[in-house]
Amino acid sequence: MTFLDLGATYRELKDEIDAAVARALASGWYIGGEEVARFEAAWARYTGAAHCVGLGNGLDALILALRALDVGPGDEVVVPSNTYIATWLAVSAVGATPVPVEPDPATHNIDPARVEAALTPRTRVLLPVHLYGQPADLDPILALARARGLRVVEDAAQAHGARYRGRPVGAHGDVVCWSFYPGKNLGAFGDAGAVTTDDADLAARIRRLGNYGSERKYVNVERGANSRLDPIQAAILSVKLGHLDAWTDRRRAIAALYSEGLAETGLALPRVPDWAEPAWHLYVVATPERDALQARLAEAGVGTLIHYPIPPHMQQAYADAGIAPDDLPLARRLADEVLSLPIGPHLDPTDARRVVAAVQE
Ligand SMILES: *Cc1c(COP(=O)(O)O)cnc(C)c1O
């Protein structure tokens, strides 16, 4: 069984998606327009945010959020040591310095208890990631930010449909950044991204920054980028959004099956705090015998992946950051021990039971 079958959602919704794409093509609007506005309104409503701005991709969402907060050279941004490298790259892209904080080993998410020690007079933003679709513990991070006059940007690229303390991820922090990369829980058929926020001024600034720094054609008030949500992708996302809750339910059922079936295997399983409702983007187990387990599962026909095999601080891209491999031992250890089991709307419970049986062997 494949780890992820990206074509499955298209086959499931072919008629609806074909009609939406045809509508977008026939509209004559190929940048901005109604399809984009419709999806932005729907995504704001879904996430409980006052505003949504569609953008080109998730990395741009992070970069433009930081730019809108005037983060730049000399500034520091607190990031998880254990994340997809995009979180760090966004900070570097605006000329600021990513300051990594180690995870809570139980949840793999940034450990709020360790954040305060990472603050310096240069810290401007705290940037938690809802890794694997598990919400990060936001309240202590928001409280610290309030006490220190910092802003909070959330990387929610893996967290579509996740809830923190009963409220959807989408407007707890100052700006929440989304990716609709095809493999995400709400995925376009190409690159796409967005931010959500309750702050009208920040939303307007991010929209302007993604449109050449311009609100009026040929009037450029700042040096912006070109990063806009494609209307064809927006039309596809609007269709898929109508199915997101059902897909999240399927993911939740698979996660429950794994958690029950694997309880006695000695693997470290995802731990879900009582305030968290994960979106189950990934179901990640951990074991020192990871490579052997992955090889055995491959023999049994079960595709798995590693998220992520090399932590950002050990990538060549950050070789000049002056962070030794063992400066962040938890991130380093997780990279050696984590394994993502197949999960997604394409998988039915029979498949999940086969995975459980294969692991139990
Ligand atoms: C996918 C992802 C991103 C980047 O999104 P793109 O749309 O691929 O640019 C950022 N952060 C995290 C945690 C991600 O998983």
Side-chain angles (χ1 to χ4, degrees):
M1 121 197 21
T2 57
F3 181 79
L4 182 63
D5 176 1
L6 282 175
T9 54
Y10 178 59
R11 292 191 298 275
E12 181 179 339
L13 305 176
K14 183 172 186 314
D15 292 346
E16 253 185 291
I17 288 175
D18 286 355
V21 169
R23 189 181 67 219
L25 290 175
S27 73
W29 281 96
Y30 306 118
I31 295 290
E34 241 177 67
E35 295 293 346
V36 172
R38 182 182 306 133
F39 176 70
E40 286 176 340
W43 189 239
R45 207 174 320 116
Y46 186 87
T47 58
H51 307 278
C52 170
V53 179
L55 299 165
N57 57 68
L59 177 59
D60 282 355
L62 290 162
I63 292 172
L64 297 181
L66 293 171
R67 282 196 65 186
L69 294 168
D70 294 312
V71 177
D75 294 333
E76 292 179 356
V77 176
V78 170
V79 295
S81 61
N82 179 49
T83 180
Y84 180 55
I85 195 170
T87 321
W88 288 44
L89 290 176
V91 177
S92 303
V94 301
T97 303
V99 175
V101 166
E102 289 266 80
D104 174 343
T107 64
H108 302 194
N109 261 324
I110 193 166
D111 184 348
R114 296 171 183 260
V115 172
E116 189 155 17
L119 303 184
T120 78
R122 292 169 178 263
T123 312
R124 295 279 323 283
V125 169
L126 308 181
L127 207 176
V129 178
H130 305 297
L131 196 67
Y132 315 147
Q134 307 263 6
D137 191 3
L138 290 171
D139 276 356
I141 291 170
L142 293 165
L144 190 60
R146 228 172 286 124
R148 300 294 190 96
L150 308 172
R151 309 302 288 265
V152 175
V153 174
E154 299 168 52
D155 182 340
Q158 304 185 354
H160 316 76
R163 288 170 168 263
Y164 177 71
R165 296 192 182 276
R167 235 178 89 202
V169 167
H172 292 88
D174 293 286
V175 188
V176 181
C177 301
W178 302 94
S179 165
F180 306 111
Y181 176 84
K184 310 294 191 189
N185 287 26
L186 180 61
F189 293 142
D191 276 312
V195 295
T196 50
T197 176
D198 279 344
D199 185 324
D201 293 334
L202 276 178
R205 178 100 192 268
I206 291 168
R207 188 180 295 287
R208 189 171 81 192
L209 282 167
N211 188 41
Y212 294 106
S214 169
E215 282 163 1
R216 268 200 306 142
K217 211 170 171 73
Y218 306 130
V219 179
N220 301 81
V221 297
E222 61 183 328
R223 293 192 285 271
N226 174 1
S227 184
R228 302 175 291 215
L229 176 60
D230 179 299
I232 297 172
Q233 301 302 340
I236 292 165
L237 288 168
S238 290
V239 171
K240 286 183 149 199
L241 178 53
H243 301 267
L244 179 59
D245 284 341
W247 290 339
T248 304
D249 286 344
R250 286 191 221 167
R251 289 176 182 273
R252 191 173 298 130
I254 292 163
L257 229 147
Y258 284 161
S259 290
E260 198 188 314
L262 303 177
E264 308 297 322
T265 54
L267 297 174
L269 302 181
R271 217 210 56 207
V272 181
D274 56 10
W275 41 257
E277 292 166 67
W280 295 110
H281 175 58
L282 297 170
Y283 188 96
V284 176
V285 301
T287 166
E289 319 293 322
R290 189 267 312 279
D291 292 344
L293 175 62
Q294 184 174 37
R296 275 208 315 278
L297 288 175
E299 278 168 31
V302 175
T304 58
L305 290 175
I306 295 167
H307 299 92
Y308 296 91
I310 306 173
H313 77 284
M314 290 170 65
Q315 297 281 1
Q316 195 180 335
Y318 282 100
D320 62 356
I323 310 173
D326 284 326
D327 287 352
L328 300 169
L330 291 176
R332 185 178 193 180
R333 177 160 64 81
L334 287 174
D336 289 336
E337 297 191 352
V338 293
L339 188 67
S340 304
L341 303 182
I343 194 166
H346 66 293
L347 216 68
D348 66 41
T350 318
D351 295 323
R353 281 189 205 98
R354 270 185 49 215
V355 175
V356 168
V359 175
Q360 281 169 345
E361 266 174 42

